[in-house]
Amino acid sequence: AINKNCKIAVLVSGGVDSSLALLRLKEQGFTNITAFYLKIWLEDELSFMGACPWEQDLAFAEPICQRLGVELKVVPMQQEYWQTVVKYVVDELKKGHTPSPDVFCNHYIKFGAFIDKFARDFDFVATGHYADVVHLSTPEKDSLKRLSLLTTSPDRIKDQTYFLSYLNQAQIQKVLFPLGKFTKEQVRKLAKSADLPAAERKDSQGIC
């Protein structure tokens, strides 16, 4: 069992999934929680795609954080996102390939650059991904080495383990997926019953 006093960073997007993930952790008794919104939208480079969404995201994320008494911090990561995700995707598209930005965003940004910056401050990073993690201990000589396994969501359509497939052991051992046992339909129902601001917000179709 995870110590209820451990420090958890929750990545919120303003969507229903991350909002419910935050609520679930509070309901489970975790008290040392900080919410983070990663600002990766490139206002200038991607202006042709329409208005910047981060202000709308915060309009949904802030109320739930205030209601739960959780501090919300905005972390700018546009430079990291451009260098590790956008440039690679553009280069691959030019070659006629079809890269998946989400795979690299999770590996290099959400569970990469973010963990690199805040690893010393938090024991775990939690998100609203549709996936689960099983932490195992396997005998190795005279000591115990923890092994963490990424497992699929019960929702076959929303399962996001493919987008998390590049995570290594060091990253997987730091993550929590509070929605790992739920389907999207169940998440929507739970969010509505809890009167979450994002309960009926449409799913994001953004780059990351």
Side-chain angles (χ1 to χ4, degrees):
I2 299 175
N3 190 325
K4 299 298 182 180
N5 294 320
C6 70
K7 297 180 180 180
I8 302 177
V10 182
L11 302 187
V12 296
S13 64
V16 63
D17 300 329
S18 61
S19 295
L20 186 64
L22 181 62
L23 176 62
R24 289 281 301 168
L25 290 172
K26 290 290 290 186
E27 290 178 339
Q28 290 169 8
F30 293 101
T31 57
N32 205 339
I33 298 174
T34 304
F36 289 85
Y37 177 85
L38 305 188
K39 188 178 177 184
I40 60 174
W41 189 260
L42 306 168
E43 286 90 343
D44 297 326
E45 293 86 347
L46 300 180
S47 59
F48 66 91
M49 295 183 69
C52 173
W54 68 270
E55 292 180 345
Q56 296 178 5
D57 291 341
L58 289 178
F60 282 92
E62 288 173 343
I64 182 62
C65 290
Q66 292 173 358
R67 172 176 149 187
L68 298 176
V70 174
E71 181 182 8
L72 174 60
K73 297 182 178 181
V74 178
V75 180
M77 285 194 164
Q78 292 97 326
Q79 184 176 357
E80 292 91 339
Y81 188 68
W82 175 262
Q83 292 294 329
T84 59
V85 180
V86 177
K87 288 182 68 175
Y88 172 81
V89 169
V90 171
D91 289 342
E92 288 295 294
L93 289 173
K94 288 180 179 178
K95 297 175 184 177
H97 299 160
T98 54
S100 175
D102 286 330
V103 171
F104 296 96
C105 182
N106 287 322
H107 178 61
Y108 291 113
I109 303 298
K110 292 179 180 178
F111 304 107
F114 178 79
I115 287 181
D116 291 342
K117 285 187 176 184
F118 297 97
R120 295 182 180 179
D121 301 325
F122 296 94
D123 300 299
F124 293 97
V125 176
T127 70
H129 280 95
Y130 286 83
D132 205 359
V133 171
V134 177
H135 298 295
L136 304 174
S137 293
T138 57
E140 185 174 288
K141 295 183 179 179
D142 297 326
S143 63
L144 288 178
K145 179 180 179 182
R146 193 171 77 172
L147 176 66
S148 298
L149 304 178
L150 180 67
T151 62
T152 57
S153 163
D155 192 321
R156 296 297 182 87
I157 296 177
K158 294 298 294 184
D159 178 74
Q160 294 174 303
T161 48
Y162 168 76
F163 302 111
L164 299 163
S165 59
Y166 271 37
L167 300 191
N168 56 43
Q169 270 298 301
Q171 292 172 314
I172 295 176
Q173 290 179 10
K174 294 280 289 187
V175 303
L176 294 176
F177 297 127
L179 306 186
K181 306 298 184 185
F182 297 105
T183 65
K184 185 70 178 192
E185 182 180 2
Q186 291 173 321
V187 166
R188 288 286 186 190
K189 289 181 178 179
L190 289 170
K192 289 180 181 179
S193 64
D195 196 26
L196 297 185
E200 297 185 8
R201 192 183 186 194
K202 293 182 179 180
D203 291 346
S204 171
Q205 297 298 325
I207 289 183
C208 189

